[in-house]
Amino acid sequence: MKWRIWLLSLGITLLCVLIFGFASTQVYYRSSVDDGKRFLHACMNSFDADEYPPTTEGAKAFSDKLDGARVTFMDMQGNVLADSIAGDSAVNHLDRSEVTDAIRDGDGYAVRDSSTLGADMVYYCRSIDGMLVRLAVFTQSDWSIFASTLPTLLAFSSVMIVLCLAASFIATHFIIGPVKKLAAEAAQSETVTTRYSELAPVADALNARNRDIHRQMRELTAEKTAVEQARASKDEFISNVTHEMNTPLTSIHGYAELLDGGGMTEAQKKTAYKTILSQSERLTNLIACIINFSEIENDNLPPYDVDFSAIVRETLVVVSPEAQKRNIAIDGNIADNVIISSRHERLNELFGNLIRNAIKYNKDGGKINVTLDNRSLTVEDTGIGIAEENMNKIFSRFFTVDKSHSGKNGGFGLGLAVVKKICAKSGWEISVESEPDRGSKFTVDFAPQQR
Ligand code: ADP
């Protein structure tokens, strides 16, 4: 780029010098022609016909007086009568413009390349006393003026070239310097500014590009984090599943070995059979829970309008024997026709998990209050409650407060994780308030963003 700027300014400088050379040549040439005309006019005024008769001697005498200017005498038809320089005296000059102008108007000028003398000449012709007197002096031709100024012009050009290169160097330094600085700054920071208004569009373009790159980087980082989180979550899930499966399998394997070894009493055998049976049930439950969880997690089926009131009432009927067994009273405050855009199995799962937990973690003789309207569902119990430090963990997969009870009644710590997943997919919000030993209250808000 620097070289281009240098070459361009060099070319412009040379062109300017040449134009200047030609123009000044023309000005000088015109002024020297004008000088010649003025000189001849003044000389003509000093002409005296008596003193200088129209003979070669008279012409030469007048010429001597005029420092060698050419003097020609002609009759009024343009025929040469006498000439101060040797030439063809029988020539007729009627074809010369200064002669015809003098015959017509009294006097006339002309400038031309004289064929006789081989140089540019200025002619002035005047009619005086019935004859034509013509004076002529040399003038430099424009080419000879140009040739004589050429050395000066070349010297001037050389100086100009050096000055131009120096100026271009300084100019390019001042032009390219801020551009380089801007590029370096753009590589360092997201937004750059410049005090040069000419570079403002460049700065804007760099800023736009930088913003794009930073946005893409943020997206890529977010994607990477999400992938890493998903991988960590998957690893954790697998490790939890393995852990949950390990306990019943170890138990089944141990009792099976004991039975195989023989020598057990009938009572011991009964215990072994019972344990094997219950542990295999636990395994089956675990697998069912995992399949259920994974189905809900991957369920992208479209929602439709579901009568949630009906589902809540039906579920309460289903779980009431379990509650009655422990003398737990369920009070329902269920609005009619609560229509929710979801899927039947999702709402069944959501309410089923909450109400079963309310029974499971209740005290014998406790109470449960279920409220449903178009805005929310609340399941409140008077059970064991949840400690403050566990409030955030209960929605995590495989989290159970009391590990010794884990697996009982299918409790693998997946119920609330499923509830949370369903809420997240539907845009609902689940919250919990609880006090240890006094009870818990779970609320599902169907339109959290409207509040
Ligand atoms: P689980 O299968 O163990 O019930 P959940 O995901 O349903 O798994 O619940 C996770 C944990 O949250 C439970 O182990 C329990 O400690 C606690 N929890 C859930 N519901 C209640 C409740 N209504 N009252 C007290 N604790 C509860």
Side-chain angles (χ1 to χ4, degrees), residues 12 22 66 81 95 126 183 188 191 217 219 221 238 250 297 322 326 362 364 371 376 382 397-398 412 418 432 434:
I12 291 171
F22 280 117
L66 303 182
L81 302 172
D95 57 340
R126 191 186 280 179
Q188 300 291 325
T191 314
M217 274 172 67
E219 282 172 10
T221 313
I238 290 169
T250 313
E297 196 168 42
E322 210 178 317
R326 296 181 52 209
N362 217 323
D364 290 349
T371 313
S376 61
T382 55
R397 292 175 306 192
F398 292 106
F412 297 102
V418 164
V432 59
S434 185

Side-chain angles (χ1 to χ4, degrees), residues 71-369:
V71 178
T72 311
F73 296 122
M74 288 166 274
D75 63 16
M76 291 306 282
Q77 281 73 45
N79 296 311
V80 174
L81 302 172
D83 203 318
S84 63
I85 60 167
D88 190 356
S89 56
V91 167
N92 182 286
H93 282 337
L94 208 55
D95 57 340
R96 311 288 162 91
S97 63
E98 75 279 11
V99 175
T100 49
D101 286 353
I103 293 167
R104 192 182 61 240
D105 304 327
D107 65 352
Y109 289 103
V111 181
R112 63 175 172 274
D113 187 9
S114 164
S115 55
T116 322
L117 298 170
D120 269 13
M121 294 203 81
V122 182
Y123 295 91
Y124 180 52
C125 187
R126 191 186 280 179
S127 92
I128 302 171
D129 298 339
M131 72 167 179
L132 297 171
V133 180
R134 189 183 70 174
L135 307 178
V137 284
F138 284 112
T139 186
Q140 272 186 294
S141 73
D142 44 5
W143 275 110
S144 71
I145 292 170
F146 184 69
S148 63
T149 56
L150 202 58
T152 319
L153 215 57
L154 286 177
F156 181 64
S157 302
S158 312
V159 173
M160 283 297 285
I161 286 166
V162 172
L163 285 177
C164 157
L165 285 179
S168 308
F169 179 78
I170 294 166
T172 48
H173 176 76
F174 279 106
I175 293 168
I176 291 169
V179 177
K180 274 186 179 170
K181 191 170 160 252
L182 203 63
E185 276 175 13
Q188 300 291 325
S189 63
E190 193 173 335
T191 314
V192 288
T193 50
T194 177
R195 61 197 169 101
Y196 303 103
S197 58
E198 297 83 356
L199 290 181
V202 180
D204 288 348
L206 284 171
N207 287 340
R209 181 63 55 87
N210 260 351
R211 269 198 298 277
D212 251 20
I213 291 171
H214 279 83
R215 184 183 45 76
Q216 283 174 6
M217 274 172 67
R218 276 194 294 275
E219 282 172 10
L220 281 176
T221 313
E223 260 174 49
K224 192 175 161 235
T225 314
V227 167
E228 280 170 0
Q229 276 172 353
R231 189 177 300 148
S233 154
K234 195 175 149 200
D235 289 350
E236 189 201 338
F237 185 74
I238 290 169
S239 125
N240 281 328
V241 169
T242 318
H243 176 77
E244 289 295 337
M245 288 181 122
N246 210 25
T247 320
L249 275 175
T250 313
S251 190
I252 291 167
H253 186 260
Y255 275 104
E257 261 184 354
L258 282 176
L259 284 170
D260 188 43
M264 290 176 85
T265 63
E266 277 312 305
Q268 285 172 328
K269 277 185 192 168
K270 214 168 176 185
T271 312
Y273 291 140
K274 262 191 175 171
T275 311
I276 289 174
L277 210 64
S278 72
Q279 291 304 310
S280 42
E281 254 175 41
R282 185 180 143 94
L283 264 181
T284 314
N285 274 342
L286 174 64
I287 289 163
C289 278
I290 291 167
I291 290 172
N292 183 44
F293 181 78
S294 131
E295 269 173 7
I296 283 170
E297 196 168 42
N298 300 316
D299 161 23
N300 286 319
L301 294 169
Y304 52 86
D305 285 351
V306 185
D307 184 351
F308 201 11
S309 310
I311 289 180
V312 169
R313 287 194 184 108
E314 280 162 22
T315 311
L316 288 180
V317 173
V318 173
V319 298
S320 67
E322 210 178 317
Q324 277 165 14
K325 248 193 256 169
R326 296 181 52 209
N327 209 16
I328 295 168
I330 302 179
D331 188 15
N333 191 359
I334 298 140
D336 287 329
N337 294 321
V338 174
I339 306 297
I340 301 288
S341 172
S342 182
R343 294 185 70 85
H344 196 274
E345 65 277 15
R346 286 182 201 164
L347 293 180
N348 225 350
E349 191 76 34
L350 180 130
F351 181 63
N353 281 328
L354 291 178
I355 191 71
R356 281 195 185 89
N357 278 351
I359 298 171
K360 204 171 15 170
Y361 300 107
N362 217 323
K363 296 171 192 160
D364 290 349
K367 277 188 189 153
I368 295 174
N369 206 307

Side-chain angles (χ1 to χ4, degrees), residues 357-358 360-361 381 384-386 394 399-402 410-417 440 442:
N357 278 351
K360 204 171 15 170
Y361 300 107
D381 64 60
I384 59 171
I386 304 159
I394 54 169
F399 177 81
T400 48
V401 172
D402 185 356
F412 297 102
L414 286 172
L416 287 181
S440 312
F442 286 84

